[in-house]
Amino acid sequence: MNVPNLITMSRFALIPLFLVLYLNGYPLAALVTVLLAGLSDFLDGYIARRSGQITVTGIMLDPLADKLMMLAIVASLLVGGRIPWEAVAVMAFREIGMIAFSAFFHFRGFKTVPANRLGKATTVVYYGAIVLLLLDQPGGLLLFWIGIVLSFLTSGIYVLQFRHLNRAS
């Protein structure tokens, strides 16, 4: 297990920490946890690319850690009354679908498509929405819906890239 993968694994540990903090009334500490997860996401990718330590494990674990953290945050925001269930249902449908799609094809020997710029931009939009929502600031829900739209556009691009990548192999 290399350093970038260890950093990715640490994000899995941040998920229950976020949940405990947020659900026990510490939204600022929960936000710091989310931002730490975001920083570790950037850091593991940077180290992996810079040092040539990109692995199949990392390509699978990194988006899984991101998606599980995002689902935990969204579920918490729903429980806290900050976002409507419709937004959660649409987002969860996409996230769970992407996890299942990636896992299904990975375990059948297909190549996985790494994150692209639009996917990274979508993550930034989601993080912006989360900051606004956790700090109870205006615009958070609108930004969240923009993130959902971007995530579906990104999914379409991923599917096309996946088909191209695995057709060429």
Side-chain angles (χ1 to χ4, degrees), residues 94 98 116 118-119 122 149-159:
R94 187 265 180 183
M98 289 299 289
N116 63 31
L118 186 56
T122 301
V149 170
L150 286 174
S151 75
F152 277 92
L153 289 173
T154 303
S155 294
I157 291 168
Y158 284 144
V159 168

Side-chain angles (χ1 to χ4, degrees), residues 116-128:
N116 63 31
R117 289 180 192 229
L118 186 56
K120 292 177 183 188
T122 301
T123 300
V124 169
V125 169
Y126 273 133
Y127 272 94

Side-chain angles (χ1 to χ4, degrees), residues 38-85:
L39 177 62
S40 74
D41 185 23
F42 168 78
L43 188 61
D44 67 11
Y46 176 78
I47 292 171
R49 285 185 301 278
R50 181 96 172 170
S51 63
Q53 296 183 34
I54 297 173
T55 64
V56 173
T57 301
I59 289 171
M60 286 299 294
L61 288 179
D62 183 72
L64 180 61
D66 295 343
K67 288 174 185 357
L68 291 176
M69 174 61 94
M70 197 59 70
L71 288 172
I73 293 166
V74 168
S76 298
L77 291 170
L78 175 66
V79 169
R82 308 260 179 165
I83 56 176
W85 71 267

Side-chain angles (χ1 to χ4, degrees), residues 22 27-28 31 77 81-83 127-144:
Y22 183 77
L28 195 54
L31 176 58
L77 291 170
R82 308 260 179 165
I83 56 176
Y127 272 94
I130 289 164
V131 168
L132 293 175
L133 289 163
L134 287 175
L135 296 177
D136 203 20
Q137 296 298 307
L141 186 55
L142 174 61
L143 197 55
F144 189 78

